[in-house]
Amino acid sequence: MNVFADFQARVVALIAKRIGADELPQGLDLGRFVVEPPRDAAHGDLSTNAAMVYAKEAKASGLNPRALAERLAADLAAEPDVAKAEVAGPGFINIVLKPEVYEKVLRAVLNEGAAFGAGERGVAGRVNVEYVSANPTGPMHVGHARGAVFGDALSSLLDFAGREATREYYINDAGAQVNVLARSVYLRYREALGENIGAIPEGLYPGDYLKPVGEGLKAEFGRGLSDMPEAEWLPLVRQRAIDAMMALIRDDLAALNITHEVFASERELTGLDGGPDRVKEAIETLRAKGLIYEGRLPPPKGAPADDWEDREQTLFRSTGFGDDVDRPLIKSDGSYTYFASDIAYHKTKIDRGYLTLVDVWGADHGGYVRRMQAAVAALSDNTARLEVRLCQLVRLMRAGEQVKMSKRSGDFVTLREVVDEVGPDAVRFIMLMRKNDAPIDFDLAKVIEQSQDNPVFYVQYAHARACSVLRQGHAAFPDLDLSPAALAGADAALLTDEGERDLMRVMAQYPRMVLQAAEAHEPHRIAFYAHELATRFHAHWNRGKDLRDLRFVKETDQSLSYARMGLVAAVGLVLASALSILGVSAPQEMR
């Protein structure tokens, strides 16, 4: 039950009525206005800007804009579940609903349970969400956690809102870094054979996490690899090193309850393993559209670009799709640029039928966004859309000092260490308590505090408190059925306290919040909402400590207690739903 969508539809019908009366012109876009909570709750339950949005059209039709607002307000006031509708300010219409509306919301939560707020599946189409895609050169560090949690929560949000999200990981296993990885592992293989390798040479990965891979090579090949030239052992070691690193990464992600449905290989795209050259195919697709040419690029302004060479080269005409310069696709040595491989990879997504693509990248890739969006637009003839969500840095604090993170130094805090120390719930919730483009300080001590200053504890405790109230209710009234379906039959009209009504109003906003967060690709809104609902619930519970008549379980009044337990159960259900989207558990007890 989405109160806001319901009234949006009612206002659409009322505007259509005004069009039929020639008070507004035909052909209006009826999706331009909004129905939302007023900024000040004292102004009512709902507010719409419909009269303001269509003021120009009303004036052109001879209707004073204020008169349009008053007529719409009068029509809304005549609705059977509206207590009052008034025009405010320049033309806002504020609506006060009758109590029965929120009683219906409460019953809807209890009857629908985990499905409350969910969208109709499959209506809006599929979405491909690519996230993490960390280079397979070592275990994940805490900086990777943000994009991983964001992408996973966004996928869950899209699924809940009715979109079909595919969780995808792109393995960068064709670049120079995997050859560096292979040489680093080969050094550990020699170490496993008993050789004193001394200090790790500059440019190789020094981490001890490579030692087990070297031991595995010894177990598989004995001394055989040491007798081969590099050209022979490199591909053997490289593939095993990549497989070992991807197993590490999968385990790290599993510790955060993150899984991917699709793992796409860059190496497979390039045809290096004997398959078709998908990069060449993508370039030829663009060439057939007249978007590939041989030319010379001017030197970049400011800092030199990594892909600029002063020579004639194969270029993609990305400026035709919003980029600021055309982009090279083939290096001087004949190999493909990273961008060329990325074009081919995104072409596979389009070829699989995805028209909405979301890539989750680190903030340091911001300069890459427009060229990739240009490629998607060109490949799909502007039918597919790529949105890139950039995740800002995470600063891990320990003992008042920022902990540095670097794979090359071998001295970095792994994601697994952080998860093992504070738990997956704390990592996931804190990563989602800020919008993805805002930096985060992750305080290892703060996220395990049992206080209202720790948002994950505060929200989880609200759910546990709701479960505790229901246990108290069962103890006081052991013969009552406290299942959600049974509680839906309680007399919600008995819930007259403003704190109780306030909780119902906040729950009524959940379906709208889910839809808006999904459309904006902003799962942090769900974290904010859960924290707000938890805050309201804790506040009302605390009122009951001072005012006995407000306590949820009142042994002298079974009917009122039953209604209040329905309210508590509904709060618990909505909190559990929001936490589920975020990938955070909803404990029934917290000690």
Side-chain angles (χ1 to χ4, degrees):
M1 179 181 177
N2 188 332
V3 173
F4 297 88
D6 177 25
F7 273 84
Q8 183 95 15
R10 296 192 203 188
V11 176
V12 165
L14 294 176
I15 292 172
K17 174 183 172 183
R18 296 298 160 194
I19 294 173
D22 293 327
E23 295 173 358
L24 288 171
Q26 298 288 334
L28 282 184
D29 177 1
L30 298 183
R32 287 164 50 195
F33 70 94
V34 296
V35 174
E36 60 189 358
R39 291 185 179 181
D40 186 346
H43 293 163
D45 298 301
L46 310 175
S47 180
T48 180
N49 63 349
M52 296 169 61
V53 167
Y54 301 114
K56 182 179 178 181
E57 290 86 350
K59 195 170 185 179
S61 298
L63 181 65
N64 184 291
R66 179 79 182 187
L68 172 62
E70 291 172 349
R71 292 181 188 186
L72 288 175
D75 288 339
L76 286 166
E79 295 284 319
D81 46 6
V82 171
K84 184 170 59 175
E86 296 178 329
V87 180
F92 286 105
I93 302 172
N94 294 325
I95 305 165
V96 177
L97 301 176
K98 291 182 179 177
E100 303 91 89
V101 174
Y102 292 116
E103 294 162 18
K104 288 180 182 178
V105 169
L106 181 58
R107 286 193 289 273
V109 175
L110 293 168
N111 282 320
E112 297 174 27
F116 178 73
E120 186 177 351
R121 187 162 180 80
V123 173
R126 300 187 303 155
V127 184
N128 183 284
V129 185
E130 181 211 331
Y131 55 105
V132 186
S133 298
N135 289 335
T137 53
M140 299 185 68
H141 60 64
V142 72
H144 291 125
R146 190 162 193 189
V149 170
F150 177 88
D152 192 62
L154 173 60
S155 299
S156 296
L157 172 60
L158 290 169
D159 278 335
F160 188 74
R163 306 294 298 268
E164 296 180 40
T166 298
R167 296 160 159 86
E168 188 148 328
Y169 187 119
Y170 182 43
I171 307 172
N172 299 114
D173 54 359
Q177 79 278 355
V178 291
N179 288 335
V180 173
L181 172 68
R183 294 186 180 99
S184 304
V185 167
Y186 184 74
L187 196 65
R188 295 299 188 177
Y189 162 71
R190 287 165 48 197
E191 182 181 40
L193 292 176
E195 184 177 335
N196 182 5
I197 61 174
I200 305 297
E202 182 71 24
L204 296 185
Y205 296 112
D208 287 347
Y209 59 86
L210 296 178
K211 288 185 177 182
V213 190
E215 292 286 352
L217 290 172
K218 174 188 172 184
E220 181 178 359
F221 293 100
R223 303 193 64 87
L225 293 176
S226 62
D227 297 328
M228 297 180 188
E230 180 178 291
E232 292 184 20
W233 64 252
L234 185 66
L236 296 173
V237 173
R238 180 177 58 220
Q239 190 55 53
R240 285 158 178 79
I242 291 170
D243 290 344
M245 293 304 100
M246 286 306 301
L248 271 180
I249 289 170
R250 283 186 173 95
D251 285 346
D252 289 345
L253 292 172
L256 269 178
N257 301 316
I258 293 173
T259 58
H260 289 80
E261 297 157 308
V262 177
F263 286 85
S265 163
E266 180 186 4
R267 194 168 188 83
E268 289 181 7
L269 289 175
T270 58
L272 293 175
D273 291 332
D277 187 342
R278 302 298 185 191
V279 183
K280 182 179 180 181
E281 291 177 7
I283 293 173
E284 292 308 310
T285 296
L286 293 173
R287 192 185 303 278
K289 297 174 182 286
L291 300 174
I292 300 294
Y293 68 100
E294 302 300 316
R296 187 182 298 269
L297 289 174
K301 297 177 182 179
D306 293 337
D307 56 3
W308 182 77
E309 295 179 70
D310 187 16
R311 65 179 178 86
E312 188 166 283
Q313 51 191 319
T314 302
L315 301 172
F316 162 51
R317 204 179 300 276
S318 57
T319 51
F321 297 88
D323 199 3
D324 53 0
V325 65
D326 292 340
R327 302 293 177 177
L329 301 180
I330 300 176
K331 300 177 184 177
S332 57
D333 63 3
S335 63
Y336 298 123
T337 63
Y338 284 118
F339 182 48
S341 297
D342 287 341
I343 290 175
Y345 170 49
H346 284 77
K347 183 177 182 298
T348 70
K349 297 181 184 182
I350 297 167
D351 290 344
R352 283 179 273 151
Y354 295 102
L355 297 181
T356 303
L357 315 178
V358 180
D359 287 2
V360 182
W361 298 349
D364 56 338
H365 289 77
Y368 205 71
V369 174
R370 283 204 288 180
R371 74 186 71 177
M372 202 65 253
Q373 290 175 330
V376 169
L379 288 166
S380 68
D381 296 324
N382 285 308
T383 60
R385 183 176 68 91
L386 169 66
E387 180 180 353
V388 178
R389 305 297 292 189
L390 299 175
C391 290
Q392 271 292 349
L393 298 176
V394 176
R395 291 201 313 165
L396 183 66
M397 311 302 291
R398 189 188 296 278
E401 298 289 333
Q402 181 181 352
V403 180
K404 303 294 183 181
M405 296 172 283
S406 169
K407 278 198 178 77
R408 289 195 175 276
S409 71
D411 179 22
F412 64 92
V413 178
T414 66
L415 170 61
R416 191 57 175 269
E417 288 177 283
V418 174
V419 174
D420 288 346
E421 182 172 339
V422 304
D425 286 346
V427 174
R428 292 188 67 113
F429 198 93
I430 297 302
M431 293 295 174
L432 293 165
M433 271 302 288
R434 297 287 297 275
K435 191 176 178 182
N436 59 282
D437 59 4
I440 285 179
D441 284 351
F442 190 94
D443 189 319
L444 289 163
K446 201 76 169 176
V447 300
I448 57 174
E449 281 184 0
Q450 293 193 351
S451 76
Q452 66 180 36
D453 295 329
N454 177 8
V456 61
F457 169 80
Y458 197 58
V459 175
Q460 288 183 313
Y461 187 51
H463 183 270
R465 176 168 273 173
C467 295
S468 174
V469 170
L470 292 176
R471 289 193 295 270
Q472 293 171 25
H474 179 70
F477 305 105
D479 295 332
L480 289 182
D481 184 352
L482 300 185
S483 66
L487 288 168
D491 186 2
L494 297 174
L495 302 173
T496 57
D497 180 78
E498 182 53 34
E500 296 165 341
R501 292 281 152 181
D502 182 58
L503 286 170
M504 287 188 272
R505 277 193 290 268
V506 175
M507 286 188 285
Q509 295 175 17
Y510 186 58
R512 173 179 177 270
M513 182 60 64
V514 166
L515 180 61
Q516 287 193 324
E519 289 178 345
H521 296 164
E522 292 183 347
H524 73 275
R525 297 191 189 192
I526 302 300
F528 288 3
Y529 172 86
H531 192 266
E532 179 65 20
L533 178 58
T535 299
R536 305 287 184 96
F537 181 63
H538 287 309
H540 189 63
W541 188 91
N542 287 328
R543 290 178 67 215
K545 289 197 301 183
D546 300 324
L547 302 171
R548 296 182 63 88
D549 281 348
L550 293 182
R551 293 184 179 179
F552 294 118
V553 179
K554 191 175 181 181
E555 295 183 4
T556 58
D557 193 332
Q558 177 173 298
S559 296
L560 179 59
S561 296
Y562 201 52
R564 287 176 173 172
M565 283 186 280
L567 176 66
V568 171
V571 170
L573 286 168
V574 174
L575 284 173
S577 174
L579 288 169
S580 176
I581 290 172
L582 303 176
V584 176
S585 66
Q588 295 191 7
E589 293 183 271
M590 295 186 76
R591 299 178 184 275

